[in-house]
Amino acid sequence: MTEKDFAPLSAACVRALNDKLYEKRKAAAIEIEKMVKDFASVNNVSQIKRLLWVLGQDFALSSNANSKKGGLIGLAAIAIALGKLAADPDQNVKNGSELLDRLMKDVVTESSSFDLVKFIPLLRERMYTKNPFARQFIVSWVSTLNDVPDIDMVIFLPEILDGLFEILDDNTTEIRKMCETVLGSFLRNINKNPQTVDFTAMVSILAKHSGSTANLVQFTALMWLKDFINLARRKLLPFVSSILQAVLPNLGHDDDSKKNIREMAKVVNNSLTTLIIEEDDHDLSTESKEKSGGGELQGNSTNEEKLSDPSGLDSKSLVMVLTNKIEHESMQTRISVLRWILHLLQKIPNKMFKHIEVLFPVLMKTLSDPSDEVVLLDLEVLSEISSSSAGLKQQNQLQNVNVPTPVREMAPSFPSMTCYFTKFMVALMELFSRNRGLLKDRGSFIIRQLCLVLNTEDIYRTIAEILLVHEDLEFACHLVETLNTILLTSTELFELRNQLNNLKTEESCSLFCCLYRSWCHSPVATVSLCLLSQNYKHACDLIHLFGNLEVTVYFLTEVDKLIQLIESPIFTYLRLQLLEPQQNPYLVKSLYGLLMLLPQSEAFHTLRQRLSCIHGLSVFQQPDSKSHSSTTQKNLQKKINFPELLQHFQKTQEKHKQARRGLKFSGK
């Protein structure tokens, strides 16, 4: 080095700028930054200009590589120092800094060897200032660098993106517009040339700002996420949970001022669902065992997924987000969560069933949601769990579930019933038992909807077996009456009614006996089941026993409801059978028995008028022993042990009698 005058730089600073070690050049840059601030504080613009000239002419334009690097980092230090100066309250200082800033930008943009790698960290550190003038200065530098054709600022975007979104929330309209323009320019460049973009390095930043309270920041971050998902696709699978964490709450905005945010969130949410496909549901444990030579898989499930899942989808964190957001105050958010759970159960059931013990209680709790739409979707999700083939692979888990033994033993005989179907039914009954208001207000609605999406016979058989061993007899009675009303009135149960109406097969007789034993909790429901299945003699035998029961107002109300049902379209066949009293004497006797139970109410007069229509048709004449009805009855007697059923009815009613008296039934 010659003895050339490098003033105002010290000899030590000059040596450091020319050094081959970056750390020494960086130390010199820090000294230059302090020097510029000192000059600015006394308004010594000439010395700053002199410093610019020295660094530009003697260092940045030098043929020596180390000197050139030293000059560029020195110029960067001046730029940073001037950015503080841009916030100076003295207008003269600000004007001077703006002039020098323009000179600096000219030097940088015209230089082919400006060291952006060293400059960007310095820029990033100063992006989090709250001063509006400094923010404006920073954004202008980013904009200038982005406009240089030979500089690909998208490469450095992960380092400054968070800072730009922070500045986008500035209180000053002009700064917000400047920042919005710069971000828009970056996004256009990304869409034009996505190959060089590090999407994974920025997606978490966007997810964070999608939850901002500032509308502009939220909308911009969501818009970026939309484009990122469309461009990067399945590369973003590891970030699905963090994106959902931010997006789901935005789906529930009711305020018109956030309409654009809500609509953009919907687009992002829908795009995310398309990333997950059936191929993501490979058997993790099997694959890991194969890779380890058949040994047992060690470690927790999260680590297992990360090790063996090439997609990077973390189903555990995804389930955690969904179970957390399912209690969100917005109905639309809760609906979106349930749609996500349903989608995941359909696309990656094996992965989701690894977390079913976390999901299941939350889904059961959601049945109490005030929104019918939420409850409907929740039932659809629970039905998917109950019927999923992934559940069949885990039948052994039923042994760990609090399920009555008769129900557990029954499950394997029905191929469509998984352990989770049975668990769902048991949990639903317990929920109804604890929350009688839910049973009263939503019980019929829930059961009817389940009958639309699951096998109706399986539902009724399983519930009947559960109620058979349920300790709360009053609850069992109320639920049987609810089930009976649904059975006799709902279009969803048309096929089940037909099956019970014609007991011609072993299966239909088995169904009748299964329901009968639980229906015994309600005497009137038991009679209606016999009328539905055309077991008129047994219905007549039951009504004769009613004389031994406690006839309460509630009991008479149930009889009244039965009379109304007999007048409904469901029992049209029964009313037509009254035209043949000789072949159906026990039907007539049963109806007269009900008539005798009733006080002279509206129901009494309705039934009496109906029976008066058959007056004079030899009502009580013995049936022809060769009649078709008699043959059918004999066949039924072989398939159904009616005396045993009658005994069970008496035993059940004795339990209720003792329970009402507060005594514990001995079982003998």
Side-chain angles (χ1 to χ4, degrees):
M1 181 180 296
T2 64
E3 295 298 323
K4 191 173 184 178
D5 185 11
F6 292 103
L9 294 175
S10 66
C13 186
V14 171
R15 286 194 298 272
L17 286 173
N18 283 286
D19 201 280
K20 64 180 180 179
L21 295 177
Y22 166 71
E23 291 301 323
K24 290 188 177 181
R25 295 198 301 271
K26 181 179 178 182
I30 294 173
E31 181 181 337
I32 291 170
E33 181 180 350
K34 182 178 182 300
M35 191 185 306
V36 172
K37 290 179 180 178
D38 291 340
F39 289 151
S41 64
V42 294
N43 202 22
N44 192 345
V45 178
S46 61
Q47 283 291 73
I48 297 176
K49 288 183 177 181
R50 168 68 182 167
L51 191 56
L52 275 170
W53 189 88
V54 170
L55 290 171
Q57 293 295 318
D58 296 333
F59 285 87
L61 299 179
S62 172
S63 59
N64 183 283
N66 292 330
S67 298
K68 185 179 294 185
K69 292 177 182 177
L72 292 173
I73 197 172
L75 290 172
I78 294 178
I80 297 303
L82 293 175
K84 300 297 179 181
L85 292 178
D88 196 282
D90 190 311
Q91 188 61 44
N92 290 326
V93 174
K94 283 196 289 187
N95 292 339
S97 69
E98 289 173 3
L99 174 61
L100 294 173
D101 180 47
R102 288 194 294 272
L103 292 173
M104 280 295 302
K105 287 173 182 174
D106 290 340
V107 172
V108 169
T109 55
E110 292 175 7
S111 172
S112 60
S113 56
F114 184 68
D115 196 345
L116 269 177
V117 176
K118 302 297 189 298
F119 177 69
I120 293 297
L122 298 173
L123 191 67
R124 182 191 63 232
E125 291 171 8
R126 289 154 178 84
M127 294 188 79
Y128 296 95
T129 177
K130 298 297 182 182
N131 188 284
F133 298 105
R135 282 182 163 184
Q136 189 173 16
F137 173 81
I138 293 293
V139 173
S140 70
W141 263 96
V142 173
S143 177
T144 297
L145 294 173
N146 191 41
D147 289 338
V148 178
D150 296 332
I151 297 179
D152 186 4
M153 278 294 288
V154 172
I155 296 174
F156 303 98
L157 190 55
E159 296 189 54
I160 61 174
L161 185 64
D162 183 61
L164 288 173
F165 270 95
E166 291 289 338
I167 295 174
L168 189 62
D169 190 23
D170 194 89
N171 294 325
T172 307
T173 304
E174 184 181 354
I175 295 176
R176 289 199 303 271
K177 287 183 177 179
M178 281 180 63
C179 192
E180 188 178 8
T181 300
V182 170
L183 285 169
S185 176
F186 274 124
L187 189 57
R188 286 190 295 274
N189 292 338
I190 289 172
N191 278 281
K192 289 177 182 177
N193 188 22
Q195 290 77 16
T196 62
V197 181
D198 189 352
F199 292 101
T200 58
M202 294 184 279
V203 68
S204 294
I205 297 171
L206 297 174
K208 181 184 80 170
H209 290 288
S210 295
S212 171
T213 56
N215 289 2
L216 178 60
V217 175
Q218 265 193 311
F219 180 78
T220 306
L222 288 169
M223 182 171 61
W224 275 62
L225 279 175
K226 172 182 70 71
D227 286 0
F228 271 38
I229 294 170
N230 291 334
L231 294 170
R233 300 301 297 164
R234 288 171 56 78
K235 291 180 182 177
L236 300 187
L237 276 178
F239 304 93
V240 169
S241 57
S242 61
I243 296 174
L244 271 183
Q245 178 78 23
V247 169
L248 286 171
N250 290 324
L251 297 171
H253 289 310
D254 296 326
D255 191 350
D256 288 340
S257 65
K258 290 183 176 287
K259 182 179 179 181
N260 61 335
I261 294 173
R262 182 177 66 246
E263 296 305 315
M264 186 60 70
K266 286 181 181 178
V267 175
V268 173
N269 185 59
N270 293 336
S271 298
L272 272 182
T273 61
T274 65
L275 300 184
I276 300 171
I277 56 178
E278 287 85 351
E279 284 73 12
D280 294 325
D281 197 36
H282 59 276
D283 191 334
L284 299 176
S285 59
T286 302
E287 182 175 321
S288 297
K289 287 180 181 179
E290 289 175 354
K291 289 181 179 179
S292 60
E296 289 298 319
L297 193 62
Q298 302 293 326
N300 59 55
S301 61
T302 303
N303 289 334
E304 291 167 11
E305 289 190 30
K306 289 180 179 177
L307 286 172
S308 59
D309 189 350
S311 71
L313 180 66
D314 185 355
S315 58
K316 182 178 180 180
S317 62
L318 191 53
V319 168
M320 288 178 63
V321 170
L322 294 172
T323 52
N324 176 264
K325 297 300 181 185
I326 202 171
E327 297 184 356
H328 194 271
E329 60 182 1
S330 167
M331 181 188 73
Q332 288 302 322
T333 295
R334 300 197 300 275
I335 288 173
S336 297
V337 168
L338 289 169
R339 285 176 177 160
W340 257 102
I341 296 174
L342 182 61
H343 177 72
L344 294 172
L345 284 168
Q346 292 169 343
K347 295 293 183 181
I348 53 170
N350 291 307
K351 283 185 179 179
M352 290 299 288
F353 266 82
K354 294 180 184 296
H355 314 290
I356 207 69
E357 298 305 319
V358 175
L359 274 173
F360 194 81
V362 177
L363 294 170
M364 290 303 303
K365 184 179 178 181
T366 306
L367 288 175
S368 302
D369 194 279
S371 166
D372 283 351
E373 192 174 352
V374 171
V375 173
L376 275 173
L377 197 52
D378 190 40
L379 288 170
E380 191 174 350
V381 173
L382 285 164
S383 300
E384 182 68 27
I385 292 172
S386 302
S387 58
S388 174
S389 58
L392 292 171
K393 299 177 182 178
Q394 304 183 40
Q395 286 284 12
N396 60 319
Q397 292 191 15
L398 186 59
Q399 303 303 321
N400 302 322
V401 179
N402 184 22
V403 177
T405 302
V407 181
R408 183 182 290 118
E409 292 175 349
M410 180 186 67
S413 63
F414 296 94
S416 61
M417 292 170 59
T418 70
C419 61
Y420 293 100
F421 171 86
T422 311
K423 181 178 181 180
F424 174 32
M425 291 296 108
V426 172
L428 183 61
M429 296 307 102
E430 290 303 315
L431 179 62
F432 283 154
S433 179
R434 293 192 308 270
N435 190 343
R436 299 297 173 85
L438 180 65
L439 174 60
K440 179 181 177 182
D441 300 333
R442 288 271 187 79
S444 178
F445 170 75
I446 289 173
I447 294 170
R448 287 179 61 184
Q449 294 305 315
L450 283 176
C451 289
L452 287 173
V453 291
L454 291 173
N455 185 283
T456 304
E457 181 179 343
D458 288 353
I459 292 172
Y460 266 68
R461 277 184 178 272
T462 307
I463 295 177
E465 292 288 355
I466 294 169
L467 293 180
L468 197 60
V469 293
H470 205 284
E471 296 180 354
D472 190 334
L473 300 181
E474 181 186 1
F475 163 73
C477 178
H478 284 304
L479 186 55
V480 163
E481 288 164 356
T482 299
L483 291 168
N484 188 62
T485 301
I486 297 170
L487 175 64
L488 296 177
T489 61
S490 300
T491 56
E492 296 88 351
L493 278 78
F494 175 78
E495 292 185 4
L496 192 65
R497 277 198 302 274
N498 279 352
Q499 192 175 349
L500 289 167
N501 192 241
N502 297 285
L503 300 181
K504 296 179 179 179
T505 63
E506 293 287 346
E507 291 76 14
S508 60
C509 291
S510 170
L511 173 62
F512 170 79
C513 293
C514 177
L515 298 185
Y516 181 97
R517 290 186 174 88
S518 287
W519 260 233
C520 286
H521 284 295
S522 171
V524 179
T526 311
V527 170
S528 68
L529 181 63
C530 291
L531 294 178
L532 175 66
S533 58
Q534 304 185 58
N535 287 309
Y536 300 136
K537 184 180 185 304
H538 192 69
C540 191
D541 294 339
L542 287 171
I543 292 172
H544 277 294
L545 294 176
F546 282 8
N548 300 324
L549 303 180
E550 182 181 356
V551 179
T552 62
V553 173
Y554 181 81
F555 175 86
L556 293 174
T557 302
E558 291 302 303
V559 176
D560 189 291
K561 291 177 181 177
L562 177 56
I563 302 305
Q564 295 177 42
L565 284 171
I566 290 173
E567 293 297 316
S568 71
I570 297 296
F571 282 107
T572 299
Y573 70 91
L574 181 147
R575 298 195 299 274
L576 290 174
Q577 287 174 348
L578 291 174
L579 294 174
E580 300 176 320
Q582 293 182 8
Q583 293 185 356
N584 300 287
Y586 294 112
L587 168 59
V588 179
K589 285 185 178 182
S590 297
L591 296 181
Y592 268 105
L594 292 174
L595 186 68
M596 294 303 107
L597 286 171
L598 287 168
Q600 295 192 30
S601 60
E602 183 179 348
F604 173 87
H605 293 296
T606 299
L607 183 56
R608 186 178 69 172
Q609 284 183 321
R610 175 65 63 185
L611 292 172
S612 68
C613 296
I614 61 171
H615 183 68
L617 294 177
S618 302
V619 174
F620 297 113
Q621 183 176 337
Q622 289 298 316
D624 182 358
S625 60
K626 296 181 180 180
S627 68
H628 172 74
S629 178
S630 178
T631 303
T632 303
Q633 187 67 37
K634 288 180 180 179
N635 290 334
L636 288 176
Q637 287 285 1
K638 295 178 182 178
K639 299 174 183 176
I640 301 174
N641 188 343
F642 283 105
E644 187 273 330
L645 291 180
L646 197 64
Q647 185 180 10
H648 180 81
F649 174 83
Q650 291 174 300
K651 186 177 180 180
T652 302
Q653 287 306 307
E654 183 63 24
K655 285 183 180 180
H656 279 271
K657 183 178 179 181
Q658 297 291 348
R660 284 193 293 269
R661 293 180 179 177
L663 299 175
K664 185 175 181 180
F665 181 61
S666 64
K668 299 180 180 179

